[in-house]
């Protein structure tokens, strides 16, 4: 069983993003970039399935500029067997990525596609769902447990007020939630091994996909600044202010 794991290169989660002064987007010049954290969880889950004998090959795929090769090498250091870069300098929106992934699903015929539930840069939470629709595959979003059994996969999902377990027939699309697993640290020997693994590159045209943006970003702005706080002398004043100024109690 092959597993395809799409991994996105995003601004590292520790970086405080700065909005460009012209409001057209966020500044990513000289900013640390990493693999989207939910995608690390997806790669880890695929590797665990392989270690359990449920999968035979893991293919990591990243769409974007040439630097996404670094993200693919990280996925291969965690345990992916090979990588595919779909190289383009165009801005990629979720629909375009879903179409590229659909073309790769047709080509590679994986039994499982495990994506992150969302990319922490655009917070779109769309790609997995769009891919499932385009490829006409069953989907389980926000997975917190994945168990493959024969030609089925049981997925536990975190829903309001509890957990829901659903059974899908393979092939299927799964998107990962935070509690699915804790990704392993990549070790130096595995980083070295990853450098030798196969990495193929395609252009969107090779896959017959038009990636032109369909949505236009009108404006990006910072959240409003918080006003300075004040110190109150005693509890009575605090209660008075909460009651009469903030009107929250
Ligand atoms: P989004 O719909 O943008 O929030 O992204 C959801 C998931 O889709 C991510 O966690 C990745 O698994 C996948 N994905 C989105 N964009 C890309 C990309 N450019 N390359 C590879 N995978 C991507």
């Amino acid at each position: 069983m092959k597993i395809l794991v799409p991994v996105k290169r995003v601004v590292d989660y520790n970086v405080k993003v700065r909005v460009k002064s012209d409001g057209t987007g966020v500044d990513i010049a000289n900013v640390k970039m990493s693999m989207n954290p939910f995608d690390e969880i997806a790669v880890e889950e695929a590797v665990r399935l392989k270690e359990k004998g449920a999968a035979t090959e893991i293919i990591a795929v990243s769409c974007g500029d040439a630097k996404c090769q670094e993200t693919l090498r990280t996925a291969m250091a965690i345990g992916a067997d090979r990588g595919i870069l779909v190289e383009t300098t165009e801005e990629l929106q979720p629909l375009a990525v879903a179409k590229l992934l659909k073309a790769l699903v047709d080509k590679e015929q994986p039994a499982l596609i495990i994506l992150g539930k969302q990319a922490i840069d655009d917070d779109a939470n769309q790609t997995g769902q769009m891919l499932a629709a385009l490829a006409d595959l069953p989907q389980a979003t926000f997975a917190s447990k994945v168990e493959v059994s024969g030609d089925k996969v049981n997925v536990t999902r975190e829903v309001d007020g509890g957990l829901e377990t659903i059974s899908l027939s393979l092939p299927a699309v799964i998107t990962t939630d935070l509690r699915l697993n804790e990704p392993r640290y990549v070790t130096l020997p595995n980083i070295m091994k990853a450098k030798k693994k196969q990495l193929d590159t395609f252009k969107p045209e090779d896959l017959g996909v038009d990636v032109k943006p369909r949505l236009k970003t009108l404006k990006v702005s910072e959240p409003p600044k918080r006003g300075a706080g004040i110190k109150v002398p005693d509890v009575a004043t605090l209660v008075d202010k909460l009651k009469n100024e903030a009107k929250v109690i």
Side-chain angles (χ1 to χ4, degrees):
M1 171 172 112
K2 271 192 206 175
I3 305 182
L4 192 75
V5 187
V7 292
K8 186 174 187 187
R9 184 170 184 268
V10 297
V11 172
D12 187 89
Y13 72 97
N14 284 309
V15 171
K16 187 177 178 320
V17 289
R18 280 184 320 259
V19 172
K20 286 188 197 161
S21 51
D22 61 2
T24 55
V26 297
D27 194 357
I28 56 163
N30 304 317
V31 165
K32 181 171 186 247
M33 306 289 282
S34 301
M35 187 190 300
N36 183 42
F38 293 106
D39 304 352
E40 265 186 67
I41 295 173
V43 180
E44 174 67 35
E45 194 62 22
V47 174
R48 290 186 189 188
L49 288 171
K50 191 176 167 199
E51 287 168 348
K52 276 189 214 148
T56 48
E57 190 183 26
I58 303 164
I59 310 159
V61 38
S62 195
C63 311
D65 66 20
K67 291 201 177 126
C68 295
Q69 285 182 24
E70 288 167 19
T71 316
L72 289 169
R73 293 288 172 205
T74 306
M76 290 189 268
I78 300 173
D81 296 289
R82 60 186 168 97
I84 298 176
L85 168 66
V86 182
E87 191 178 349
T88 175
T89 49
E90 284 255 16
E91 175 208 333
L92 289 177
Q93 294 180 345
L95 181 59
V97 177
K99 287 179 182 169
L100 293 170
L101 296 175
K102 153 81 168 75
L104 290 173
V105 166
D106 289 346
K107 205 170 148 59
E108 297 285 350
Q109 299 284 316
L112 260 186
I113 305 105
I114 313 181
L115 303 91
K117 74 166 179 183
Q118 75 192 61
I120 60 164
D121 52 0
D122 60 17
D123 276 342
N125 179 353
Q126 294 175 358
T127 311
Q129 294 89 325
M130 286 176 168
L131 170 64
L134 292 172
D136 198 17
L137 294 176
Q139 61 175 309
T141 51
F142 310 152
S144 62
K145 192 168 171 201
V146 172
E147 277 172 330
V148 175
S149 134
D151 60 353
K152 297 257 186 294
V153 58
N154 292 336
V155 180
T156 302
R157 313 179 54 241
E158 293 191 6
V159 292
D160 271 357
L163 297 172
E164 174 190 62
T165 302
I166 55 175
S167 173
L168 317 180
S169 46
L170 298 172
V173 173
I174 294 175
T175 71
T176 62
D177 212 334
L178 207 57
R179 272 168 287 273
L180 179 57
N181 62 49
E182 227 177 89
R184 67 197 66 190
Y185 285 106
V186 287
T187 61
L188 191 60
N190 285 344
I191 294 174
M192 301 313 286
K193 266 193 232 155
K195 290 190 184 182
K196 297 206 186 84
K197 291 188 180 173
Q198 182 185 339
L199 199 166
D200 299 311
T201 302
F202 298 100
K203 300 266 182 222
E205 308 83 87
D206 304 332
L207 300 171
V209 177
D210 165 16
V211 294
K212 268 201 287 307
R214 304 298 203 267
L215 305 174
K216 192 169 159 220
T217 303
L218 299 180
K219 191 171 160 228
V220 177
S221 53
E222 303 239 357
K225 294 237 176 333
R226 283 178 65 174
I230 55 159
K231 263 191 182 167
V232 289
D234 49 39
V235 173
T237 320
L238 173 66
V239 171
D240 177 64
K241 284 191 179 296
L242 288 174
K243 216 180 214 161
N244 300 315
E245 282 182 26
K247 296 193 188 333
V248 290
I249 55 172

mmCIF file of all heavy atoms in Angstrom, residues 93-100 126-127 130 134 209 214:
data_model
loop_
_atom_site.group_PDB
_atom_site.id
_atom_site.type_symbol
_atom_site.label_atom_id
_atom_site.label_comp_id
_atom_site.label_asym_id
_atom_site.label_seq_id
_atom_site.Cartn_x
_atom_site.Cartn_y
_atom_site.Cartn_z
ATOM 1 N N GLN A 93 -2.997 28.567 -4.786
ATOM 2 C CA GLN A 93 -4.162 28.551 -3.902
ATOM 3 C C GLN A 93 -4.622 27.106 -3.702
ATOM 4 O O GLN A 93 -4.290 26.234 -4.512
ATOM 5 C CB GLN A 93 -5.259 29.429 -4.496
ATOM 6 C CG GLN A 93 -4.806 30.883 -4.499
ATOM 7 C CD GLN A 93 -5.814 31.849 -5.079
ATOM 8 O OE1 GLN A 93 -6.761 31.452 -5.746
ATOM 9 N NE2 GLN A 93 -5.592 33.123 -4.842
ATOM 10 N N PRO A 94 -5.405 26.818 -2.626
ATOM 11 C CA PRO A 94 -5.767 25.435 -2.332
ATOM 12 C C PRO A 94 -6.362 24.660 -3.516
ATOM 13 O O PRO A 94 -6.036 23.491 -3.721
ATOM 14 C CB PRO A 94 -6.778 25.575 -1.187
ATOM 15 C CG PRO A 94 -6.330 26.817 -0.479
ATOM 16 C CD PRO A 94 -5.850 27.740 -1.566
ATOM 17 N N LEU A 95 -7.194 25.304 -4.342
ATOM 18 C CA LEU A 95 -7.785 24.580 -5.471
ATOM 19 C C LEU A 95 -6.705 24.111 -6.449
ATOM 20 O O LEU A 95 -6.750 22.980 -6.946
ATOM 21 C CB LEU A 95 -8.822 25.456 -6.191
ATOM 22 C CG LEU A 95 -9.527 24.803 -7.381
ATOM 23 C CD1 LEU A 95 -10.277 23.539 -6.957
ATOM 24 C CD2 LEU A 95 -10.498 25.776 -8.052
ATOM 25 N N ALA A 96 -5.712 24.976 -6.688
ATOM 26 C CA ALA A 96 -4.624 24.610 -7.599
ATOM 27 C C ALA A 96 -3.827 23.440 -7.020
ATOM 28 O O ALA A 96 -3.498 22.487 -7.731
ATOM 29 C CB ALA A 96 -3.713 25.810 -7.827
ATOM 30 N N VAL A 97 -3.548 23.498 -5.705
ATOM 31 C CA VAL A 97 -2.795 22.401 -5.074
ATOM 32 C C VAL A 97 -3.613 21.109 -5.157
ATOM 33 O O VAL A 97 -3.085 20.047 -5.490
ATOM 34 C CB VAL A 97 -2.451 22.742 -3.602
ATOM 35 C CG1 VAL A 97 -1.737 21.573 -2.933
ATOM 36 C CG2 VAL A 97 -1.591 23.994 -3.515
ATOM 37 N N ALA A 98 -4.916 21.204 -4.891
ATOM 38 C CA ALA A 98 -5.771 20.007 -4.941
ATOM 39 C C ALA A 98 -5.764 19.404 -6.347
ATOM 40 O O ALA A 98 -5.728 18.183 -6.511
ATOM 41 C CB ALA A 98 -7.190 20.366 -4.506
ATOM 42 N N LYS A 99 -5.754 20.251 -7.376
ATOM 43 C CA LYS A 99 -5.728 19.740 -8.753
ATOM 44 C C LYS A 99 -4.393 19.054 -9.054
ATOM 45 O O LYS A 99 -4.354 18.017 -9.716
ATOM 46 C CB LYS A 99 -5.955 20.878 -9.747
ATOM 47 C CG LYS A 99 -7.389 21.370 -9.777
ATOM 48 C CD LYS A 99 -7.510 22.500 -10.775
ATOM 49 C CE LYS A 99 -8.904 23.077 -10.815
ATOM 50 N NZ LYS A 99 -8.964 24.323 -11.592
ATOM 51 N N LEU A 100 -3.293 19.659 -8.568
ATOM 52 C CA LEU A 100 -1.969 19.039 -8.773
ATOM 53 C C LEU A 100 -1.923 17.688 -8.066
ATOM 54 O O LEU A 100 -1.438 16.694 -8.615
ATOM 55 C CB LEU A 100 -0.861 19.958 -8.225
ATOM 56 C CG LEU A 100 -0.667 21.280 -8.968
ATOM 57 C CD1 LEU A 100 0.278 22.197 -8.186
ATOM 58 C CD2 LEU A 100 -0.111 21.034 -10.380
ATOM 59 N N GLN A 126 -8.775 23.627 3.242
ATOM 60 C CA GLN A 126 -9.565 23.340 2.036
ATOM 61 C C GLN A 126 -8.975 22.232 1.176
ATOM 62 O O GLN A 126 -9.714 21.530 0.484
ATOM 63 C CB GLN A 126 -9.639 24.598 1.151
ATOM 64 C CG GLN A 126 -10.410 25.728 1.771
ATOM 65 C CD GLN A 126 -10.353 26.996 0.934
ATOM 66 O OE1 GLN A 126 -9.703 27.048 -0.109
ATOM 67 N NE2 GLN A 126 -11.019 28.019 1.392
ATOM 68 N N THR A 127 -7.636 22.106 1.193
ATOM 69 C CA THR A 127 -6.993 21.279 0.168
ATOM 70 C C THR A 127 -7.432 19.813 0.234
ATOM 71 O O THR A 127 -7.752 19.215 -0.799
ATOM 72 C CB THR A 127 -5.452 21.408 0.284
ATOM 73 O OG1 THR A 127 -5.141 22.800 0.359
ATOM 74 C CG2 THR A 127 -4.752 20.793 -0.900
ATOM 75 N N MET A 130 -11.001 19.421 -0.987
ATOM 76 C CA MET A 130 -11.106 19.609 -2.438
ATOM 77 C C MET A 130 -10.522 18.418 -3.184
ATOM 78 O O MET A 130 -11.080 17.961 -4.188
ATOM 79 C CB MET A 130 -10.378 20.881 -2.858
ATOM 80 C CG MET A 130 -11.122 22.144 -2.480
ATOM 81 S SD MET A 130 -10.111 23.556 -2.911
ATOM 82 C CE MET A 130 -11.295 24.883 -2.742
ATOM 83 N N LEU A 134 -12.373 16.147 -5.928
ATOM 84 C CA LEU A 134 -11.863 16.023 -7.305
ATOM 85 C C LEU A 134 -11.527 14.572 -7.658
ATOM 86 O O LEU A 134 -11.744 14.129 -8.783
ATOM 87 C CB LEU A 134 -10.592 16.879 -7.490
ATOM 88 C CG LEU A 134 -10.768 18.398 -7.441
ATOM 89 C CD1 LEU A 134 -9.403 19.075 -7.452
ATOM 90 C CD2 LEU A 134 -11.599 18.863 -8.625
ATOM 91 N N VAL A 209 -2.071 20.853 -15.393
ATOM 92 C CA VAL A 209 -2.885 21.653 -14.467
ATOM 93 C C VAL A 209 -2.587 23.143 -14.637
ATOM 94 O O VAL A 209 -1.429 23.561 -14.667
ATOM 95 C CB VAL A 209 -2.621 21.230 -12.994
ATOM 96 C CG1 VAL A 209 -3.407 22.099 -12.025
ATOM 97 C CG2 VAL A 209 -2.965 19.764 -12.786
ATOM 98 N N ARG A 214 -7.413 31.850 -8.612
ATOM 99 C CA ARG A 214 -8.824 32.142 -8.914
ATOM 100 C C ARG A 214 -9.384 33.171 -7.944
ATOM 101 O O ARG A 214 -10.451 33.721 -8.143
ATOM 102 C CB ARG A 214 -9.684 30.873 -8.821
ATOM 103 C CG ARG A 214 -9.219 29.719 -9.700
ATOM 104 C CD ARG A 214 -9.268 30.089 -11.164
ATOM 105 N NE ARG A 214 -9.366 28.955 -12.062
ATOM 106 C CZ ARG A 214 -8.333 28.341 -12.628
ATOM 107 N NH1 ARG A 214 -7.097 28.725 -12.382
ATOM 108 N NH2 ARG A 214 -8.528 27.339 -13.463
#
